Amino acid sequence: MSKSSEGELSLEERMRRLEEILARMESTEIRLGEALELFEEGVSHVKTAGEVLAAAELRVEELLADGQVISFEDKVE
Amino acid sequence: MTRIESDRGLSPFDDSGIETSEEVLTEQSPKVWSVSQVNRAVYGLLESSVDQLWVSGEVSRWTRSRAGHCYFSLKDERAQIRCAMFSREADQLPANPEEGTKIRVFGRVTLYEARGEYQLVVRRLEPEGEEGLWRLAFEQLRHRLDIEGLLKDDRKRALPRYPGCVGIVTSRKGAALADILKALRRRAPWTQVLIRDTRVQGEGAALQIAEALTQLVNTALPDVIILGRGGGSVEDLWAFNEEPVARAIAASPVPIVSAVGHEIDVSISDLVADYRAATPSSAVEAAVPDVRVLAERLEQAGGQLGRTLRRVSEGQRSFVTEGRRRLQVAIERQFTPARQGLDRACKQLEARANHLTNRQRMKFEGLVGRLEALSPLATLCRGYSVARSMDGRVLKSTLDFTQGSVFELQVTDGKLLAETLGAGEGDGKDE
């Protein structure tokens, strides 16, 4: 629902995928080749998600009655 | 009330008393009452002569003092009575009744001596008829929604663990919004926030809230929506107890966190929503994970990835070692009989070959003997020799020799070089 841009995973999707990967890697019947692939993917999610967390600044927008979405100016304390 | 008229003998209002005063007035020594005495007497009269009673009317000029005592007037078309409801009873009220609300009260008529005003001290207050007190409306709506199953626990959905977009339905001017944004900045700064401003109190607020919520849901952007407002009086919070809001929440496919007023205020909106937060800030705590917790989880996940990979690869290595060992054993087992067979076959073959070679040799030797019998060598053995030209022709006739020509002479055990010295005796027909 909240893709930040085309083809890029949202933080939620990334975290969910990461949990999936971990669960799969914990399973006993995994082969080394698959584990390696999952490991690489997982590491990239950890890295990217970490960057998202570190860099993000709350983006606040307002939905108007006519359906327009505009940037919301509020006082930042 | 009739008892006021019927009860006699209470000075100074009994007939005789009044007459006495008139008499006193016309004569010389008038009896003078102090104000307190009069009020005390009236107080006593009211207290003793009027039983507790129910009175119905419309609420007017309702006020609540700091101490929690409520003062108001109860009126009908022609008259009004001042009423007091002390905090012990007033605190039981679910709400302050609105101006004009029809109610009935139970209490006693008494006199406030300090002012000389009579009043009704109210013990109980109940809504009169269908409309009226909040409580009644609240309970009715709750009952209706409950029958429809909209308040059931199993309708409540889990909130998303890592929402990317948080929707907010509240007043853009309210304290709640400021609290929510502040908490979001601190807790989940990666989120996108979409605010839908709405009036949250007053006439028509409930419909506006419902519309705002529906519109926000229809954008399909938010993963979770916080709906609410800050603290206020029961009247202020009332819109969140109205049916349109309840219906809009129940219809939302997006999980809703309701945060209306303070901890003690439970609204219909709270009951229908997927999660009830006591305050706007705790709504944020429910709706989004803390960035620190998330960062910790990521770090943990990184470690976990490494550990599991190591475990899998170690498992794999021992699997390979084990596999190789088992393969070897299997091969051994498979090939041992074959090898033994092969060995046996080799021996047989060798024996056979030896046998064959011996026969062959004997056969060959016999053949050689027969061949030798035919060979010129055998003749040579008997002392003959063969002369050959250097190019290998057999020289048979004297004509084949010329004076001085060199030729080869083969005898039984080798070859000699010879030279023709000249013709010998005889005709040369015999060699």
Side-chain angles (χ1 to χ4, degrees), chain B residues 254-269:
Chain B
V254 181
I256 308 272
V257 177
S258 169
V260 179
H262 296 303
E263 197 131 11
I264 49 157
D265 307 313
V266 177
S267 61
I268 292 286
S269 151

Side-chain angles (χ1 to χ4, degrees), chain B residues 81-362:
Chain B
I81 310 173
R82 283 303 293 163
C83 298
M85 192 172 189
F86 296 113
S87 60
R88 212 178 69 181
E89 286 82 22
D91 285 348
Q92 312 296 313
L93 286 180
N96 296 329
E98 256 183 326
E99 179 79 24
T101 308
K102 282 202 170 111
I103 59 168
R104 60 176 167 208
V105 298
F106 181 70
R108 61 189 165 83
V109 177
T110 187
L111 185 88
Y112 181 35
E113 291 178 63
R115 290 243 176 114
E117 288 174 3
Y118 98 96
Q119 63 182 9
L120 207 56
V121 173
V122 177
R123 279 262 161 78
R124 282 173 64 188
L125 187 156
E126 283 178 11
E128 182 83 73
E130 282 296 294
E131 89 244 348
L133 275 196
W134 323 108
R135 176 121 227 126
L136 187 69
F138 183 97
E139 291 302 341
Q140 281 175 343
L141 179 56
R142 175 167 43 194
H143 183 65
R144 235 177 10 255
L145 297 173
D146 199 21
I147 285 173
E148 285 181 44
L150 297 183
L151 308 183
K152 285 215 172 73
D153 278 348
D154 58 16
R155 275 196 91 250
K156 313 237 176 276
R157 291 158 295 194
L159 304 180
R161 290 179 67 189
Y162 311 105
C165 178
V166 178
I168 303 174
V169 175
T170 190
S171 162
R172 74 201 313 282
K173 291 178 225 139
L177 182 59
D179 286 352
I180 290 171
L181 290 179
K182 193 176 158 193
L184 278 172
R185 275 201 179 86
R186 174 170 47 80
R187 211 176 148 82
W190 68 85
T191 45
Q192 182 195 349
V193 179
L194 192 54
I195 298 165
R196 181 66 179 84
D197 174 47
T198 174
R199 277 199 304 129
V200 290
Q201 65 189 74
E203 189 73 28
L207 274 176
Q208 253 203 36
I209 294 166
E211 273 171 28
L213 177 60
T214 307
Q215 196 200 347
L216 190 57
V217 163
N218 287 344
T219 63
L221 288 170
D223 300 311
V224 60
I225 293 175
I226 298 174
L227 170 83
R229 54 155 296 148
S233 68
V234 179
E235 257 172 296
D236 292 342
L237 307 184
W238 186 248
F240 291 89
N241 286 325
E242 290 188 61
E243 191 158 355
V245 175
R247 298 270 170 215
I249 293 173
S252 166
V254 181
I256 308 272
V257 177
S258 169
V260 179
H262 296 303
E263 197 131 11
I264 49 157
D265 307 313
V266 177
S267 61
I268 292 286
S269 151
D270 289 339
L271 298 176
V272 184
D274 297 283
Y275 188 90
R276 184 217 164 200
T279 63
S281 332
S282 57
V284 172
E285 278 160 34
V288 295
D290 192 309
V291 64
R292 283 168 304 181
V293 174
L294 206 55
E296 234 166 65
R297 176 73 194 110
L298 277 179
E299 205 182 309
Q300 229 176 44
Q304 214 176 332
L305 279 172
R307 273 197 308 281
T308 46
L309 181 66
R310 208 151 41 238
R311 190 182 54 69
V312 171
S313 69
E314 271 160 15
Q316 210 82 8
R317 196 176 305 147
S318 67
F319 175 76
V320 168
T321 316
E322 170 68 9
R324 188 187 294 153
R325 199 186 60 75
R326 281 166 53 187
L327 190 61
Q328 248 163 14
V329 170
I331 288 172
E332 289 294 326
R333 202 164 36 227
Q334 200 75 27
F335 279 83
T336 302
R339 187 182 292 159
Q340 288 167 347
L342 188 63
D343 283 351
R344 210 163 38 237
C346 279
K347 282 196 184 102
Q348 281 174 357
L349 189 61
E350 209 175 283
R352 182 103 186 115
N354 283 342
H355 177 68
L356 280 177
T357 346
N358 286 342
R359 272 181 58 191
Q360 212 68 27
R361 196 188 301 141
M362 285 155 66

